[in-house]
PDB file of all heavy atoms in Angstrom:
ATOM      1  N   ILE J 110       9.946 -19.827  25.637  1.00 98.00           N
ATOM      2  CA  ILE J 110       8.824 -19.586  26.429  1.00 98.00           C
ATOM      3  C   ILE J 110       7.647 -19.347  25.541  1.00 98.00           C
ATOM      4  O   ILE J 110       7.620 -18.465  24.708  1.00 98.00           O
ATOM      5  CB  ILE J 110       9.000 -18.250  27.276  1.00 98.00           C
ATOM      6  CG1 ILE J 110      10.300 -18.325  28.066  1.00 98.00           C
ATOM      7  CG2 ILE J 110       7.878 -17.966  28.209  1.00 98.00           C
ATOM      8  CD1 ILE J 110      11.288 -17.285  27.921  1.00 98.00           C
ATOM      9  N   ALA J 111       6.548 -20.230  25.763  1.00 97.00           N
ATOM     10  CA  ALA J 111       5.313 -20.157  24.821  1.00 97.00           C
ATOM     11  C   ALA J 111       4.088 -19.985  25.687  1.00 97.00           C
ATOM     12  O   ALA J 111       3.966 -20.669  26.720  1.00 97.00           O
ATOM     13  CB  ALA J 111       5.292 -21.318  23.897  1.00 97.00           C
ATOM     14  N   GLY J 112       3.236 -19.117  25.149  1.00 96.00           N
ATOM     15  CA  GLY J 112       1.878 -19.117  25.767  1.00 96.00           C
ATOM     16  C   GLY J 112       0.844 -19.738  24.822  1.00 96.00           C
ATOM     17  O   GLY J 112       0.740 -19.266  23.655  1.00 96.00           O
ATOM     18  N   GLY J 113       0.269 -20.857  25.223  1.00 94.00           N
ATOM     19  CA  GLY J 113      -0.804 -21.484  24.398  1.00 94.00           C
ATOM     20  C   GLY J 113      -0.263 -21.849  23.071  1.00 94.00           C
ATOM     21  O   GLY J 113       0.816 -22.509  22.871  1.00 94.00           O
ATOM     22  N   ILE J 114      -0.987 -21.454  21.966  1.00 95.00           N
ATOM     23  CA  ILE J 114      -0.661 -21.795  20.597  1.00 95.00           C
ATOM     24  C   ILE J 114       0.579 -21.078  20.140  1.00 95.00           C
ATOM     25  O   ILE J 114       1.126 -21.361  19.023  1.00 95.00           O
ATOM     26  CB  ILE J 114      -1.836 -21.568  19.689  1.00 95.00           C
ATOM     27  CG1 ILE J 114      -1.666 -22.270  18.349  1.00 95.00           C
ATOM     28  CG2 ILE J 114      -2.065 -20.081  19.473  1.00 95.00           C
ATOM     29  CD1 ILE J 114      -1.470 -23.728  18.440  1.00 95.00           C
ATOM     30  N   GLY J 115       1.106 -20.146  20.925  1.00 96.00           N
ATOM     31  CA  GLY J 115       2.416 -19.485  20.703  1.00 96.00           C
ATOM     32  C   GLY J 115       3.557 -20.514  20.509  1.00 96.00           C
ATOM     33  O   GLY J 115       4.610 -20.225  20.078  1.00 96.00           O
ATOM     34  N   PHE J 135       9.470 -23.686  28.403  1.00 98.00           N
ATOM     35  CA  PHE J 135       8.359 -23.393  29.322  1.00 98.00           C
ATOM     36  C   PHE J 135       6.994 -23.151  28.573  1.00 98.00           C
ATOM     37  O   PHE J 135       6.999 -22.282  27.718  1.00 98.00           O
ATOM     38  CB  PHE J 135       8.694 -22.140  30.152  1.00 98.00           C
ATOM     39  CG  PHE J 135       9.942 -22.371  31.060  1.00 98.00           C
ATOM     40  CD1 PHE J 135      11.191 -22.065  30.461  1.00 98.00           C
ATOM     41  CD2 PHE J 135       9.812 -22.710  32.282  1.00 98.00           C
ATOM     42  CE1 PHE J 135      12.316 -22.296  31.227  1.00 98.00           C
ATOM     43  CE2 PHE J 135      10.965 -22.940  33.068  1.00 98.00           C
ATOM     44  CZ  PHE J 135      12.276 -22.701  32.498  1.00 98.00           C
ATOM     45  N   LEU J 136       6.076 -23.971  28.893  1.00 97.00           N
ATOM     46  CA  LEU J 136       4.777 -23.819  28.186  1.00 97.00           C
ATOM     47  C   LEU J 136       3.727 -23.373  29.178  1.00 97.00           C
ATOM     48  O   LEU J 136       3.554 -24.054  30.271  1.00 97.00           O
ATOM     49  CB  LEU J 136       4.353 -25.192  27.572  1.00 97.00           C
ATOM     50  CG  LEU J 136       5.067 -25.746  26.412  1.00 97.00           C
ATOM     51  CD1 LEU J 136       4.245 -26.920  25.815  1.00 97.00           C
ATOM     52  CD2 LEU J 136       5.414 -24.686  25.333  1.00 97.00           C
ATOM     53  N   GLY J 137       2.977 -22.397  28.819  1.00 97.00           N
ATOM     54  CA  GLY J 137       1.888 -21.938  29.768  1.00 97.00           C
ATOM     55  C   GLY J 137       0.628 -21.870  28.908  1.00 97.00           C
ATOM     56  O   GLY J 137       0.591 -21.710  27.715  1.00 97.00           O
ATOM     57  N   GLY J 138      -0.567 -21.966  29.677  1.00 95.00           N
ATOM     58  CA  GLY J 138      -1.841 -21.878  29.059  1.00 95.00           C
ATOM     59  C   GLY J 138      -2.995 -21.740  30.034  1.00 95.00           C
ATOM     60  O   GLY J 138      -2.614 -22.041  31.290  1.00 95.00           O
ATOM     61  N   ARG J 139      -4.168 -21.485  29.643  1.00 94.00           N
ATOM     62  CA  ARG J 139      -5.231 -21.491  30.524  1.00 94.00           C
ATOM     63  C   ARG J 139      -5.467 -22.815  31.233  1.00 94.00           C
ATOM     64  O   ARG J 139      -5.622 -22.983  32.433  1.00 94.00           O
ATOM     65  CB  ARG J 139      -6.587 -21.071  29.778  1.00 94.00           C
ATOM     66  CG  ARG J 139      -6.688 -19.593  29.520  1.00 94.00           C
ATOM     67  CD  ARG J 139      -8.213 -19.366  29.021  1.00 94.00           C
ATOM     68  NE  ARG J 139      -8.800 -20.406  28.279  1.00 94.00           N
ATOM     69  CZ  ARG J 139      -8.709 -20.624  26.933  1.00 94.00           C
ATOM     70  NH1 ARG J 139      -8.005 -19.685  26.202  1.00 94.00           N
ATOM     71  NH2 ARG J 139      -9.311 -21.603  26.308  1.00 94.00           N
ATOM     72  N   THR J 140      -5.510 -23.847  30.280  1.00 94.00           N
ATOM     73  CA  THR J 140      -5.717 -25.240  30.764  1.00 94.00           C
ATOM     74  C   THR J 140      -4.741 -26.111  30.118  1.00 94.00           C
ATOM     75  O   THR J 140      -4.089 -25.681  29.040  1.00 94.00           O
ATOM     76  CB  THR J 140      -7.120 -25.744  30.561  1.00 94.00           C
ATOM     77  OG1 THR J 140      -7.210 -26.034  29.063  1.00 94.00           O
ATOM     78  CG2 THR J 140      -8.216 -24.692  30.774  1.00 94.00           C
ATOM     79  N   LEU J 143      -4.532 -26.443  26.111  1.00 93.00           N
ATOM     80  CA  LEU J 143      -3.786 -25.494  25.282  1.00 93.00           C
ATOM     81  C   LEU J 143      -2.279 -25.778  25.245  1.00 93.00           C
ATOM     82  O   LEU J 143      -1.536 -24.982  24.708  1.00 93.00           O
ATOM     83  CB  LEU J 143      -4.007 -24.081  25.878  1.00 93.00           C
ATOM     84  CG  LEU J 143      -5.413 -23.481  25.366  1.00 93.00           C
ATOM     85  CD1 LEU J 143      -5.790 -22.351  26.245  1.00 93.00           C
ATOM     86  CD2 LEU J 143      -5.348 -23.126  23.967  1.00 93.00           C
ATOM     87  N   LEU J 144      -1.871 -26.956  25.917  1.00 95.00           N
ATOM     88  CA  LEU J 144      -0.446 -27.224  25.993  1.00 95.00           C
ATOM     89  C   LEU J 144      -0.163 -28.299  24.991  1.00 95.00           C
ATOM     90  O   LEU J 144      -0.780 -29.389  24.980  1.00 95.00           O
ATOM     91  CB  LEU J 144      -0.031 -27.727  27.383  1.00 95.00           C
ATOM     92  CG  LEU J 144      -0.374 -26.647  28.471  1.00 95.00           C
ATOM     93  CD1 LEU J 144       0.053 -27.286  29.862  1.00 95.00           C
ATOM     94  CD2 LEU J 144       0.316 -25.360  28.272  1.00 95.00           C
ATOM     95  N   LYS J 153       8.651 -27.840  30.621  1.00 97.00           N
ATOM     96  CA  LYS J 153       8.031 -27.580  31.946  1.00 97.00           C
ATOM     97  C   LYS J 153       6.698 -26.773  31.712  1.00 97.00           C
ATOM     98  O   LYS J 153       6.631 -25.996  30.798  1.00 97.00           O
ATOM     99  CB  LYS J 153       8.985 -26.720  32.815  1.00 97.00           C
ATOM    100  CG  LYS J 153      10.342 -27.390  32.965  1.00 97.00           C
ATOM    101  CD  LYS J 153      11.275 -26.795  33.927  1.00 97.00           C
ATOM    102  CE  LYS J 153      12.602 -27.596  33.866  1.00 97.00           C
ATOM    103  NZ  LYS J 153      13.458 -27.281  35.026  1.00 97.00           N
ATOM    104  N   PHE J 154       5.701 -27.089  32.560  1.00 97.00           N
ATOM    105  CA  PHE J 154       4.368 -26.599  32.275  1.00 97.00           C
ATOM    106  C   PHE J 154       3.805 -25.655  33.438  1.00 97.00           C
ATOM    107  O   PHE J 154       4.150 -25.871  34.613  1.00 97.00           O
ATOM    108  CB  PHE J 154       3.366 -27.733  32.183  1.00 97.00           C
ATOM    109  CG  PHE J 154       3.662 -28.700  31.066  1.00 97.00           C
ATOM    110  CD1 PHE J 154       4.361 -29.932  31.422  1.00 97.00           C
ATOM    111  CD2 PHE J 154       3.356 -28.436  29.865  1.00 97.00           C
ATOM    112  CE1 PHE J 154       4.663 -30.831  30.446  1.00 97.00           C
ATOM    113  CE2 PHE J 154       3.763 -29.355  28.755  1.00 97.00           C
ATOM    114  CZ  PHE J 154       4.350 -30.590  29.114  1.00 97.00           C
ATOM    115  N   ALA J 155       3.027 -24.670  32.965  1.00 97.00           N
ATOM    116  CA  ALA J 155       2.221 -23.904  33.921  1.00 97.00           C
ATOM    117  C   ALA J 155       0.824 -23.720  33.337  1.00 97.00           C
ATOM    118  O   ALA J 155       0.657 -23.529  32.146  1.00 97.00           O
ATOM    119  CB  ALA J 155       2.856 -22.573  34.170  1.00 97.00           C
ATOM    120  N   THR J 156      -0.185 -23.829  34.206  1.00 97.00           N
ATOM    121  CA  THR J 156      -1.602 -23.617  33.684  1.00 97.00           C
ATOM    122  C   THR J 156      -2.317 -22.666  34.669  1.00 97.00           C
ATOM    123  O   THR J 156      -2.040 -22.754  35.979  1.00 97.00           O
ATOM    124  CB  THR J 156      -2.336 -24.854  33.585  1.00 97.00           C
ATOM    125  OG1 THR J 156      -2.209 -25.663  34.682  1.00 97.00           O
ATOM    126  CG2 THR J 156      -1.959 -25.655  32.292  1.00 97.00           C
ATOM    127  N   ASP J 157      -3.201 -21.947  34.263  1.00 95.00           N
ATOM    128  CA  ASP J 157      -3.971 -20.989  35.077  1.00 95.00           C
ATOM    129  C   ASP J 157      -4.745 -21.780  36.062  1.00 95.00           C
ATOM    130  O   ASP J 157      -4.964 -21.357  37.218  1.00 95.00           O
ATOM    131  CB  ASP J 157      -4.908 -20.039  34.287  1.00 95.00           C
ATOM    132  CG  ASP J 157      -4.131 -19.053  33.395  1.00 95.00           C
ATOM    133  OD1 ASP J 157      -2.854 -19.058  33.530  1.00 95.00           O
ATOM    134  OD2 ASP J 157      -4.678 -18.463  32.510  1.00 95.00           O
ATOM    135  N   GLY J 165      -0.348 -21.246  37.669  1.00 96.00           N
ATOM    136  CA  GLY J 165       0.154 -19.834  37.600  1.00 96.00           C
ATOM    137  C   GLY J 165       0.506 -19.577  36.135  1.00 96.00           C
ATOM    138  O   GLY J 165       0.190 -20.356  35.270  1.00 96.00           O
ATOM    139  N   THR J 166       1.100 -18.420  36.005  1.00 96.00           N
ATOM    140  CA  THR J 166       1.521 -18.027  34.587  1.00 96.00           C
ATOM    141  C   THR J 166       2.886 -18.617  34.214  1.00 96.00           C
ATOM    142  O   THR J 166       3.636 -19.059  35.104  1.00 96.00           O
ATOM    143  CB  THR J 166       1.608 -16.495  34.474  1.00 96.00           C
ATOM    144  OG1 THR J 166       2.765 -16.130  35.233  1.00 96.00           O
ATOM    145  CG2 THR J 166       0.379 -15.834  34.983  1.00 96.00           C
ATOM    146  N   VAL J 167       3.154 -18.611  32.959  1.00 97.00           N
ATOM    147  CA  VAL J 167       4.374 -19.177  32.464  1.00 97.00           C
ATOM    148  C   VAL J 167       5.525 -18.363  32.989  1.00 97.00           C
ATOM    149  O   VAL J 167       6.687 -18.813  33.235  1.00 97.00           O
ATOM    150  CB  VAL J 167       4.344 -19.337  30.925  1.00 97.00           C
ATOM    151  CG1 VAL J 167       4.504 -17.923  30.287  1.00 97.00           C
ATOM    152  CG2 VAL J 167       5.463 -20.255  30.446  1.00 97.00           C
ATOM    153  N   LEU J 168       5.232 -17.082  33.254  1.00 97.00           N
ATOM    154  CA  LEU J 168       6.343 -16.101  33.765  1.00 97.00           C
ATOM    155  C   LEU J 168       6.700 -16.460  35.271  1.00 97.00           C
ATOM    156  O   LEU J 168       7.807 -16.464  35.595  1.00 97.00           O
ATOM    157  CB  LEU J 168       5.888 -14.666  33.647  1.00 97.00           C
ATOM    158  CG  LEU J 168       6.937 -13.689  34.049  1.00 97.00           C
ATOM    159  CD1 LEU J 168       8.187 -13.667  33.108  1.00 97.00           C
ATOM    160  CD2 LEU J 168       6.394 -12.230  34.059  1.00 97.00           C
ATOM    161  N   LEU J 170       6.416 -19.413  36.468  1.00 97.00           N
ATOM    162  CA  LEU J 170       7.120 -20.682  36.359  1.00 97.00           C
ATOM    163  C   LEU J 170       8.607 -20.390  36.035  1.00 97.00           C
ATOM    164  O   LEU J 170       9.540 -20.970  36.541  1.00 97.00           O
ATOM    165  CB  LEU J 170       6.498 -21.613  35.349  1.00 97.00           C
ATOM    166  CG  LEU J 170       7.279 -22.870  34.953  1.00 97.00           C
ATOM    167  CD1 LEU J 170       7.322 -23.819  36.151  1.00 97.00           C
ATOM    168  CD2 LEU J 170       6.498 -23.617  33.786  1.00 97.00           C
ATOM    169  N   PRO J 190       0.743 -14.574  23.626  1.00 95.00           N
ATOM    170  CA  PRO J 190       0.019 -13.321  23.665  1.00 95.00           C
ATOM    171  C   PRO J 190       0.919 -12.114  23.862  1.00 95.00           C
ATOM    172  O   PRO J 190       1.972 -12.305  24.538  1.00 95.00           O
ATOM    173  CB  PRO J 190      -0.865 -13.475  24.830  1.00 95.00           C
ATOM    174  CG  PRO J 190      -1.031 -14.946  25.063  1.00 95.00           C
ATOM    175  CD  PRO J 190       0.259 -15.555  24.606  1.00 95.00           C
ATOM    176  N   MET J 193       1.995 -11.364  27.415  1.00 96.00           N
ATOM    177  CA  MET J 193       3.055 -12.359  27.931  1.00 96.00           C
ATOM    178  C   MET J 193       4.400 -12.030  27.454  1.00 96.00           C
ATOM    179  O   MET J 193       5.341 -11.958  28.195  1.00 96.00           O
ATOM    180  CB  MET J 193       2.589 -13.785  27.516  1.00 96.00           C
ATOM    181  CG  MET J 193       3.581 -14.816  28.098  1.00 96.00           C
ATOM    182  SD  MET J 193       3.719 -16.231  26.872  1.00 96.00           S
ATOM    183  CE  MET J 193       5.127 -15.740  25.912  1.00 96.00           C
TER     184      MET J 193
END
Side-chain angles (χ1 to χ4, degrees):
Chain J
I110 307 128
I114 195 58
F135 297 86
L136 292 192
R139 281 192 327 271
T140 77
L143 283 161
L144 304 178
K153 306 185 179 199
F154 301 100
T156 48
D157 294 353
T166 69
V167 73
L168 185 65
L170 173 65
M193 181 213 92

